[in-house]
Amino acid sequence: MKLQLTAPCHFGLESVLSSEVRRMGAENVRVSDGRVTFEGDETLLARANIGLRTAERVQILLGEFDAHSFEDLFQGVKKLPLEDYIGKKDAFPVKGWSLNSTLHSVPDCQSIVKKAMVNRLSEVYHINWFEETGPVHQIEFGIHKDHVLILLDTSGAGLHKRGYRKNSVIAPIKETLAAGIIDLARVYPDSTLYDPFCGSGTLLIEGALHAMKIAPGLRRRFAAEKWGNIPEKVWQEERQRAFDLIDRNAPFQAYGSDIDPEAVELASYNAKQAGVGSRIHIEQREVKEFSMREGKGVLICNPPYGERLLDINTARDIYKTMGKVFVPREKDRFYVISPDEQFEDYFGRKADRRRKLYNGMIKCQVYMYFK
């Protein structure tokens, strides 16, 4: 069965995600702001949930249309083949958002979408009341400039929830964003990765998973597994495929440090939970004591800054220290995430390239040094 699939992502990671889905065998890949849409079958749906590193979730695009009135919205939803996915006992809660559109009241839109769904399914199943005791089929609507997307979530909990990070320090970087930066930094199976502000270890762990080709969703479950209309065999085969792709012989190693002893302990714990504890070495150390080992290395870090943990002057003092101890050697590459537009001035060197990303609601730059 051919499905229209779509995956939201962090703004700035669309190109990374589109490359991911193409490598998985997706067809007709289309990129828009914060989203990649593609075609595939049930196998690709399972593969995407298990294997995508930078997607926030995988959704089925049930339909899209323009709506300038509640009647447009009602009729647009009612035309969709909802019965192909939702059984007479299934739960189908509705949530959504509206931006720059005539229909700006989200609660009203939510009510209309639900009403239209009930109307359609009542006619199909010849019942007037839905008990909704079966598996959850989360419906999401998105309305932007009067254009409506009706989506069915297949993931359940967000795909950033890999299962290894039980706890985190204050203001951790999201796993999906970390994975995107790892991809942009071209971390390979033979890379040596450094993070002198490792926090709960997310960048190091995502680096190890990427380098060793360990699928991020291999250890978790997904909403669509409970539906019953995707054979269990599909999920079993895709998990086995992901397991077979793991590169246990990759020489990858990672070295992390943090001034906070609790962060060091937590990062070590999380690395073990992720199954990469033997590849990640973490110690308590201030950034002024940082040094890289012999051989080329990749340094990626998300130092504390004004809007995250520290006042701006303290953060800039740290940037100055980083500029002194991040000594470029031939073939080393540095990637620093910061929202400070003056970062380069305090670090002491202009970046070879900058890339805009959002860390939560904070607009950041990835400052890249690779020449």
Side-chain angles (χ1 to χ4, degrees), residues 197 287-288 303-305 310-325 340 343 346-347:
F197 303 95
V287 68
K288 67 182 180 182
Y305 40 72
L310 297 178
D311 69 80
I312 193 71
N313 291 326
T314 306
R316 286 174 170 174
D317 286 341
I318 289 175
Y319 298 157
K320 291 177 185 175
T321 303
M322 289 162 57
K324 293 173 185 173
V325 298
D340 192 340
F343 168 80
Y346 292 91
F347 186 65

Side-chain angles (χ1 to χ4, degrees), residues 107-150:
D108 287 342
C109 291
Q110 196 173 2
S111 178
I112 294 295
V113 170
K114 183 74 173 187
K115 185 177 177 183
M117 293 183 69
V118 169
N119 195 289
R120 166 89 185 200
L121 294 172
S122 292
E123 291 180 4
V124 170
Y125 293 125
H126 307 293
I127 55 176
N128 295 318
W129 183 77
F130 291 87
E131 58 183 73
E132 298 197 49
T133 56
V136 174
H137 292 59
Q138 178 67 62
I139 299 294
E140 181 179 327
F141 63 86
I143 310 176
H144 183 228
K145 295 182 178 177
D146 299 325
H147 188 71
V148 182
L149 300 181
I150 303 295

Side-chain angles (χ1 to χ4, degrees), residues 33 65-68 97-103 142-148:
D33 286 347
F65 51 88
D66 290 335
H68 302 278
W97 53 270
S98 178
L99 191 64
N100 299 331
S101 298
T102 307
L103 303 178
I143 310 176
H144 183 228
K145 295 182 178 177
D146 299 325
H147 188 71
V148 182

Side-chain angles (χ1 to χ4, degrees), residues 23-83:
R23 288 195 297 268
M24 288 184 172
E27 299 174 351
N28 297 326
V29 179
R30 307 189 305 280
V31 178
S32 55
D33 286 347
R35 183 176 296 278
V36 175
T37 303
F38 51 99
E39 290 181 5
D41 58 9
E42 296 163 339
T43 296
L44 186 66
L45 184 154
R47 184 175 300 173
N49 271 298
I50 293 167
L52 287 178
R53 300 182 188 279
T54 56
E56 295 303 307
R57 55 185 62 253
V58 177
Q59 299 163 314
I60 297 171
L61 178 58
L62 297 178
E64 55 184 316
F65 51 88
D66 290 335
H68 302 278
S69 66
F70 288 133
E71 182 63 19
D72 291 343
L73 182 60
F74 182 91
Q75 294 300 334
V77 173
K78 191 180 175 185
K79 288 177 184 174
L80 302 178
L82 304 169
E83 64 277 4

